[in-house]
Amino acid sequence: MLLSFFMMPLHSVNRHYPTALAEDVEAFKLADELGFEEAWIGEHYSADIEQISSPLMFLAHMAPQTKRIKLGTGVLPLPLYHPVMAASHIALLDHLAPGRLLLGIGTGGLGSDFEVFGMENADRTAMMLDSIEIMKKIWASDPPYDIPGKFWDVKLSKSYWPDLGVGILPKTLTKPHPPLAVSVSSPYSGSMRVAARNDFMPISANFVASWVVKTHWETYCDELAKLGKTPDGSKWRVARSIHVADTDEEAERLVKTAGGAYDWYYDYMYQVYERMGAGALLAPFRDTDPATITHEMVRDNFVIYGSPETVTRKILALREEVGPFGTLMMTSHEWTDKPAMRRSMELLAKRVMPAVNAALGENMPAMAV
């Protein structure tokens, strides 16, 4: 099992923007130093608490500050981009971070973003698929272009002057293009079927219960069976909120601190889902009465926490429950206690994951912390 890092990012309201950005940069650099395989970051425009308006720009900033970690957009909301712009920006980053770019694509996930872009009623899934097909054609061919799409048409012939280098769109360094991924969250998500049909890497979100994650694998397998293909768990990433401390008591105390990093996060997610009229999606168990759900209940069931030994056991139990995911994505949370959050990442990378892989039969030597 590989270990990666996922950053929404999510910071408390009115957090000093430069301080929050510096924290995000430091977390990415630490993940690289600790040997995390990947680091992903999201994109939002109209949220004071999620102030990364361009994961491409952020990852370009991180590329020279990291050495080996793969850098992922988690995700790039393609309906908000013209395909030519997205294809060109992606190609640029693929050259700036050679061999390290992972391209998570999606429809977007924030209602206020949809509103401000005038896309509340748009068929964003269809737009995402239309966009990626157009971009693939741009990356795979040379002008002149006449690429018809459902939402965009790409034409370039009148000003194509190859002797002057005019009319040339950039190609990705990675051939045919960087690996593609999509995020999924709802039970039996249709996005898992999209992933199966298009050979995208699926990423199960951290803000859903394990029983929901299990339906993702079931849906993925069902769709691949229809296509006559065999599912490959190594392509599947599962994101979880994880906190590791030296003792169970220390971990529990931090996770359950009122207003702390994890408590605030799940209080926020609970309020968002309630205002959307979708609180039932946070049910910790299939038979949970939606009327009984509290943010504390969600927090305590969604966060994997404890000592290295306890977290190892919980991760193995999660994989046994939901299916054979190949990559565990540790979700970042605000560094309200910076030493404790850094220590958690260190213990996960150097103590927990070697123990997990030893139990799974993989050879990963433990490292002293």
Side-chain angles (χ1 to χ4, degrees):
M1 184 188 298
L2 300 177
L3 176 63
S4 70
F5 189 63
F6 171 65
M7 180 178 286
M8 294 179 71
L10 210 65
H11 296 285
S12 52
V13 178
N14 297 324
R15 188 80 193 280
H16 184 230
Y17 193 21
T19 302
L21 287 174
E23 182 180 298
D24 296 340
V25 168
E26 184 178 347
F28 257 65
K29 291 169 69 174
L30 179 60
D32 182 49
E33 293 165 8
L34 292 172
F36 280 63
E37 188 74 16
E38 308 161 350
W40 304 71
I41 193 161
E43 172 174 320
H44 296 288
Y45 293 87
S46 54
D48 182 50
I49 60 173
E50 297 183 73
Q51 296 179 311
I52 299 296
S53 55
S54 172
L56 296 172
M57 189 178 295
F58 182 88
L59 295 177
H61 178 69
M62 293 310 309
Q65 299 188 66
T66 53
K67 295 179 179 178
R68 54 162 299 280
I69 197 166
K70 294 182 175 67
L71 303 171
T73 58
V75 297
L76 197 70
L78 293 183
L80 306 185
Y81 290 83
H82 190 285
V84 171
M85 179 182 293
S88 299
H89 288 177
I90 291 163
L92 172 60
L93 181 54
D94 194 35
H95 284 267
L96 292 174
R100 293 200 282 150
L101 178 60
L102 301 172
L103 185 58
I105 60 174
T107 62
L110 192 62
S112 57
D113 281 354
F114 303 148
E115 181 181 353
V116 77
F117 279 98
M119 301 189 68
E120 292 175 282
N121 299 314
D123 187 347
R124 294 184 297 274
T125 297
M127 292 180 75
M128 176 191 75
L129 294 174
D130 190 36
S131 177
I132 193 62
E133 289 307 310
I134 291 172
M135 289 195 293
K136 286 179 180 179
K137 291 174 182 177
I138 290 172
W139 293 327
S141 61
D142 295 316
Y145 290 120
D146 185 2
I147 305 173
K150 183 176 180 180
F151 300 93
W152 300 275
D153 294 323
V154 174
K155 297 180 183 294
L156 201 166
S157 60
K158 297 178 183 177
S159 299
Y160 175 44
W161 305 327
D163 59 318
L164 298 179
V166 175
I168 310 294
L169 295 178
K171 304 290 193 293
T172 59
L173 177 65
T174 306
K175 302 302 180 186
H177 48 71
L180 298 170
V182 290
S183 64
V184 294
S185 58
S186 59
Y188 302 100
S189 173
S191 294
M192 286 301 278
R193 299 190 183 277
V194 170
R197 289 194 293 267
N198 292 276
D199 197 29
F200 297 157
M201 301 178 295
I203 302 174
S204 294
N206 67 293
F207 45 81
V208 295
S210 57
W211 70 266
V212 175
V213 177
K214 183 178 181 180
T215 72
H216 294 167
W217 181 246
E218 293 169 348
T219 304
Y220 189 64
C221 292
D222 179 70
E223 188 64 24
L224 284 172
K226 294 177 181 177
L227 299 170
K229 298 181 179 180
T230 302
D232 181 2
S234 68
K235 296 181 178 181
W236 182 28
R237 289 152 174 79
V238 171
R240 293 284 94 183
S241 296
I242 305 169
H243 187 74
V244 194
D246 290 294
T247 66
D248 288 344
E249 293 75 19
E250 183 183 349
E252 182 175 14
R253 183 166 57 251
L254 191 144
V255 168
K256 295 186 178 182
T257 296
Y262 299 92
D263 182 76
W264 174 84
Y265 175 90
Y266 282 101
D267 186 23
Y268 165 79
M269 296 302 299
Y270 173 77
Q271 292 191 54
V272 166
Y273 274 73
E274 280 291 295
R275 295 186 190 190
M276 289 168 44
L281 292 177
L282 293 177
F285 307 99
R286 287 178 183 266
D287 58 355
T288 301
D289 180 354
T292 68
I293 299 174
T294 64
H295 91 266
E296 294 90 349
M297 178 190 296
V298 177
R299 175 200 68 199
D300 295 347
N301 282 278
F302 286 20
V303 181
I304 297 174
Y305 62 88
S307 66
E309 295 75 20
T310 297
V311 172
T312 297
R313 174 177 52 80
K314 290 181 177 181
I315 291 172
L316 290 168
L318 173 69
R319 193 171 187 268
E320 181 68 24
E321 176 189 358
V322 305
F325 58 90
T327 299
L328 175 68
M329 300 180 73
M330 179 190 195
T331 301
S332 72
H333 288 271
E334 193 161 62
W335 284 10
T336 50
D337 184 334
K338 182 175 178 178
M341 302 305 268
R342 287 181 62 97
R343 177 68 171 165
S344 177
M345 291 178 66
E346 292 167 359
L347 289 170
L348 180 61
K350 297 186 178 182
R351 291 271 299 280
V352 173
M353 293 308 294
V356 166
N357 281 300
L360 295 174
E362 299 293 335
N363 294 318
M364 279 188 65
M367 300 170 65
V369 183

